[in-house]
Amino acid sequence: MHDRRARLLNLTALVVVLSVPVGLLEGPAWWLGVAVLMAATVVAVRATADRSWHGLPLATAVLPALAGFSAAGLVHLAGDGTFWVPAVACGGGLEALTLLAEARLAGPADDRRARLERQVVPLAIVVAFAAFLAAAGALAGGLVDAAGQSADTGPGSLTGSGVLLLALADAGIAAALGYRLAALRTTNLGEALRIAGTYAVVTGLGAALLRVLELPRLFGPAVLAGVFYLWSAYRDASAAQRRTSAWLVEYGLLAAALVLVVGWNLLLR
């Protein structure tokens, strides 16, 4: 127990320490920096992973790697202003949560592990929101203020290539998270990659549409995280569950809530 706690603390400290200088970079340098940070996180997670793991390759490293991506993104968004310390703390906290979740899932496949697996989905939604926010904040004009202006460069929106890059980044994030969720249900690599591809397509299209609509500040990443959750709920439910009235009502209410948020923001303009 003590050794596992020490490994978690060391890995969290490593990611936080690396995320600070990376978060202060700009443009292509930021993307290169986060790629190195995520690669280092993957290597560190795999080096300290439980040797009894026989699941899909790199599945256990997805959440910590994207938490590192999010940590660097939060630092980048905060800059050297007042929110720098909270940004670092939030990034470190998210990294610790993902590492702890993966460490607890390394045990035998019993009832306890089944309960822990159900907690991965809400954690994945939080990571998705943070990562979508980080990706948008890394692009000039990626975030929009309440007046419909880009949050960092003034009036105007992303160019077509910028929207495409953001959609591809969000699709990649969703694909990685979809792969991790698929690893809870299957050990077949081909099936997991196919499932991850569906997450990429749905989320990528949603990201492009939401960015064109120019929802202000956090609303875009939040709604996109909601889209990710709806797709995960649809994928997780069996055909029999999808036909039950309770599931249809719950799913319909969640979808309607997302549509209402988008419509309300558009009407406020």
Side-chain angles (χ1 to χ4, degrees):
M1 178 66 70
H2 177 74
D3 290 342
R4 187 177 73 173
R5 187 179 304 167
R7 289 199 303 268
L8 292 178
L9 289 174
N10 290 337
L11 282 175
T12 301
L14 170 66
V15 173
V16 171
V17 168
L18 291 177
S19 68
V20 172
V22 170
L24 298 177
L25 299 175
E26 298 288 344
W30 185 88
W31 291 98
L32 178 60
V34 294
V36 173
L37 172 61
M38 293 174 70
T41 305
V42 170
V43 171
V45 169
R46 296 305 300 147
T48 59
D50 192 316
R51 301 303 177 185
S52 65
W53 171 260
H54 297 294
L56 293 174
L58 302 180
T60 58
V62 168
L63 290 176
L66 284 177
F69 174 87
S70 303
L74 292 175
V75 172
H76 182 265
L77 283 170
D80 55 0
T82 309
F83 296 103
W84 186 83
V85 173
V88 174
C90 288
L94 184 60
E95 185 66 37
L97 281 175
T98 59
L99 289 170
L100 178 61
E102 292 295 358
R104 295 173 70 187
L105 283 170
D110 52 15
D111 291 341
R112 175 180 173 274
R113 178 168 173 174
R115 291 194 301 270
L116 293 174
E117 286 179 347
R118 289 193 290 271
Q119 299 173 10
V120 174
V121 174
L123 180 58
I125 303 304
V126 174
V127 172
F129 168 69
F132 293 151
L133 178 61
L139 294 173
L143 291 174
V144 177
D145 63 21
Q149 298 178 337
S150 65
D152 52 359
T153 59
S157 59
L158 286 175
T159 62
S161 59
V163 173
L164 177 60
L165 177 58
L166 180 58
L168 289 175
D170 289 339
I173 292 166
L177 290 172
Y179 177 77
R180 181 63 190 99
L181 295 180
L184 300 175
R185 303 287 177 262
T186 181
T187 56
N188 184 295
L189 180 59
E191 182 181 358
L193 291 176
R194 180 184 61 80
I195 293 172
T198 66
Y199 278 89
V201 171
V202 171
T203 306
L205 292 175
L209 175 60
L210 291 172
R211 189 54 188 83
V212 169
L213 294 177
E214 296 188 338
L215 298 182
R217 294 290 183 177
L218 304 182
F219 281 100
V223 172
L224 194 59
V227 171
F228 177 88
Y229 171 71
L230 285 177
W231 187 247
S232 70
Y234 177 81
R235 292 285 326 177
D236 242 7
S238 65
Q241 286 176 316
R242 294 170 193 161
R243 288 192 294 268
T244 63
S245 58
W247 188 89
L248 289 172
V249 169
E250 180 182 356
Y251 196 86
L253 287 175
L254 289 171
L258 291 179
V259 173
L260 182 62
V261 168
V262 174
W264 181 257
N265 275 277
L266 295 177
L267 287 174
L268 287 179
R269 298 180 188 177

